[in-house]
């Protein structure tokens, strides 16, 4: 027990960067020193090198590697190395030192992430430059098929994206395992400057679809990024009427995520039909909003002229969707807008789909049924 307490104390000294005290304590007990140097700690099974690199303590790294002979390639439970930690946390001097000590610049952690990929999750251009200048491979992909360029576009730092394109002009021409391009990624995450740069310097085809049939414009609409949607329309000639693999369009996808401003943009500025149908079930945006329980979006759609009485291919109204989801606020809105407790093609009343007593009570109170 005493050794365990001592080991934890020494780990804390490493995390806090207290080198002189660490040296003094490490000399006292050879068994404890061995336990610290060979041990794996915490949920991730980190080693002393991971702690030192994560917290940016260069002098402690030098002590561990040069004086105590620690292996620079020690891995934790996720196969992450000290170089991953230094790159991820932006500790440039630690990272450069580890590489000089023989750390493999393209070492892989769990899910095949490299230090360069980790660095691209942060807005630290100098760290990215150091890795590439030391031979990091821009073309490597992780298990999902994401390259460092994908990850940089997800974070949206224009300087890093520009630099990567300068280093490798064709790096943009890459897709993930589900056929998503970096332009999809930038549009989805709302990075306007990054999207402008990609359209200026890269050769993406308008309306390129991922494996689900989703275009960058759909991504922008589904996540409420109207300025990016406008950019794609003006500079990339995006087709706002494109459908995904299931037949849903941008309006339907924006409804699912309750992007009311995007819905208004599509209907009022682009002239999209607020009652347009999607998929083989012929669902309207109102059906989607009711299914997801988006009361505010139902109000928006009704204001824009949505047909509250529209039925899908199975004869279901939006009330059926709201009742199936036990969405009380939506039930109130739809009934107030004129819907009644009617049957679908199978003879099922919307109210028969209610399971929560409080939801059924709301429907009964509004309709006067018992």
């Amino acid at each position: 027990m005493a050794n365990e307490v001592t080991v934890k104390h020494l780990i804390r000294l490493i995390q806090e960067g207290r080198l002189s005290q660490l040296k003094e304590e490490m000399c006292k007990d050879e068994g404890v020193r061995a336990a610290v140097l060979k041990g794996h700690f915490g949920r991730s099974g980190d080693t002393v090198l991971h702690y030192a690199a994560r917290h940016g303590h260069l002098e402690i790294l030098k002590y561990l590697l040069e004086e105590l002979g620690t292996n620079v390639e020690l891995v934790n439970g996720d196969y992450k190395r000290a170089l991953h930690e230094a790159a991820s946390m932006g500790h440039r001097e630690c990272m450069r030192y580890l590489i000089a000590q023989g750390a493999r610049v393209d070492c892989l952690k769990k899910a095949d992430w490299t230090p360069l990929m980790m660095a691209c999750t942060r807005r630290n251009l100098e760290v990215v430059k150091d890795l590439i200048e030391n031979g990091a491979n821009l073309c490597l992909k992780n298990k999902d098929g994401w390259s460092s360029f994908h990850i940089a576009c997800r974070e949206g730092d224009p300087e890093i994206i520009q630099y990567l394109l300068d280093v490798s002009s064709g790096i943009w021409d890459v897709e993930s395992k589900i056929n998503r391009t970096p332009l999809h990624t930038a549009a989805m995450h709302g990075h306007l400057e990054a999207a402008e740069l990609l359209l200026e310097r890269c050769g993406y085809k308008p309306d390129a679809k991922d494996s689900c049939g989703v275009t960058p414009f759909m991504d922008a609409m589904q996540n409420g990024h109207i300025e990016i949607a406008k950019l794609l329309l003006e500079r990339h000639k995006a087709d706002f009427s494109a459908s995904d693999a299931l037949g849903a369009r941008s309006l339907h996808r924006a409804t699912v995520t309750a992007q009311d401003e995007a819905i208004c943009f599509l209907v009022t500025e682009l002239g999209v039909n607020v009652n347009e149908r999607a998929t083989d079930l012929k669902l309207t945006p109102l059906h989607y909003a009711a299914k997801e329980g988006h009361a505010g979006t139902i109000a928006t759609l009704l204001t824009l002229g949505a047909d509250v009485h529209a039925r899908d291919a199975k004869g279901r109204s939006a009330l059926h969707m709201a009742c199936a989801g036990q969405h009380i606020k939506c039930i109130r809105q739809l009934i107030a807008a004129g819907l009644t407790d009617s049957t679908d093609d199978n003879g099922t009343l919307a109210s028969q789909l209610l399971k929560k007593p409080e939801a059924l009570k709301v429907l009964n109170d509004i309709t006067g049924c018992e």
Side-chain angles (χ1 to χ4, degrees):
M1 183 64 180
N3 279 356
E4 183 179 340
V5 171
T6 304
V7 168
K8 287 183 178 179
H9 172 62
L10 292 174
I11 293 298
R12 187 161 55 251
L13 293 178
I14 292 171
Q15 291 172 315
E16 295 173 358
R18 295 157 65 181
L19 178 59
S20 59
Q21 190 174 350
L22 176 67
K23 285 184 175 182
E24 181 181 335
E25 296 288 338
M26 290 284 267
C27 292
K28 292 180 178 179
D29 188 322
E30 186 175 338
V32 170
R33 181 169 67 250
V36 170
L37 295 178
K38 296 178 181 179
H40 294 266
F41 310 97
R43 291 182 180 179
S44 298
D46 291 324
T47 71
V48 288
L49 283 187
H50 290 86
Y51 289 123
R54 182 180 304 149
H55 293 280
H57 299 315
L58 177 59
E59 294 307 314
I60 290 183
L61 279 177
K62 289 181 178 180
Y63 169 63
L64 293 171
L65 290 170
E66 296 178 30
E67 295 187 38
L68 299 183
T70 308
N71 182 357
V72 73
E73 295 290 357
L74 286 178
V75 298
N76 69 5
D78 292 327
Y79 301 101
K80 183 187 286 186
R81 293 162 173 80
L83 186 59
H84 285 101
E85 294 285 2
S88 174
M89 301 307 294
H91 297 310
R92 189 181 180 194
E93 293 307 314
C94 290
M95 187 185 72
R96 294 170 72 175
Y97 171 73
L98 288 167
I99 293 172
Q101 290 297 307
R104 288 187 291 124
V105 72
D106 283 327
C107 54
L108 301 180
K109 78 172 192 70
K110 191 175 182 179
D112 296 338
W113 280 65
T114 67
L116 179 59
M117 293 175 192
M118 302 290 287
C120 286
T121 66
R122 307 280 182 166
R123 297 194 171 208
N124 193 325
L125 177 59
E126 295 308 313
V127 170
V128 172
K129 283 184 176 180
D130 283 341
L131 287 166
I132 291 176
E133 288 171 3
N134 279 281
N137 188 344
L138 264 171
C139 297
L140 292 179
K141 295 182 178 183
N142 65 18
K143 74 174 184 65
D144 296 315
W146 279 48
S147 68
S148 296
F149 193 69
H150 268 108
I151 296 164
C153 290
R154 184 189 70 184
E155 300 307 315
D157 187 329
E159 289 188 345
I160 291 179
I161 295 170
Q162 185 91 282
Y163 171 73
L164 295 178
L165 286 168
D166 289 341
V167 170
S168 176
S169 60
I171 194 63
W172 61 269
D173 192 10
V174 62
E175 293 182 347
S176 70
K177 285 189 176 179
I178 57 172
N179 305 125
R180 291 182 63 77
T181 67
L183 183 59
H184 280 91
T185 303
M188 178 181 182
H189 290 277
H191 299 308
L192 182 59
E193 285 186 76
E196 289 176 330
L197 185 56
L198 292 176
L199 293 181
E200 176 185 329
R201 295 200 53 179
C202 308
Y204 294 112
K205 296 178 181 178
D207 304 312
K209 294 187 175 185
D210 66 14
S211 60
C212 293
V214 176
T215 67
F217 181 85
M218 290 180 191
D219 271 330
M221 287 288 89
Q222 186 168 352
N223 292 279
H225 304 309
I226 296 174
E227 291 306 310
I228 290 183
K230 289 179 178 179
L231 176 71
L232 291 168
L233 288 170
E234 295 166 5
R235 298 264 298 275
H236 213 217
K237 308 304 178 186
D239 179 7
F240 63 80
S241 65
S243 302
D244 66 17
L246 296 178
R249 298 185 179 89
S250 294
L251 178 59
H252 305 106
R253 299 183 71 89
T255 301
V256 168
T257 54
Q259 298 296 340
D260 290 4
E261 288 187 26
I263 291 168
C264 290
F265 170 72
L266 288 164
V267 175
T268 60
E269 295 193 37
L270 299 184
V272 173
N273 179 4
V274 72
N275 294 306
E276 68 177 4
R277 305 284 183 155
T279 78
D280 292 340
L281 292 175
K282 305 300 181 184
L283 299 170
T284 69
L286 198 62
H287 282 91
Y288 281 106
K291 180 181 179 181
E292 299 297 329
H294 299 319
T297 300
I298 287 177
T300 296
L301 290 167
L302 291 173
T303 300
L304 292 171
D307 180 5
V308 74
H309 298 290
R311 302 297 185 99
D312 69 6
K314 294 185 177 181
R316 297 173 298 183
S317 69
L319 185 60
H320 282 86
M321 301 297 188
C323 288
Q326 318 300 304
H327 301 307
I328 296 175
K329 287 186 178 179
C330 297
I331 293 170
R332 288 182 181 277
Q333 282 182 301
L334 293 167
I335 291 177
L339 266 180
T340 58
D341 187 17
S342 54
T343 60
D344 62 16
D345 289 350
N346 292 322
T348 304
L349 284 165
S351 58
Q352 290 177 308
L353 301 173
L354 290 169
K355 296 179 180 178
K356 292 183 178 180
E358 60 269 30
L360 184 57
K361 183 178 184 302
V362 167
L363 186 61
N364 290 342
D365 288 345
I366 294 174
T367 60
C369 299
E370 294 296 333

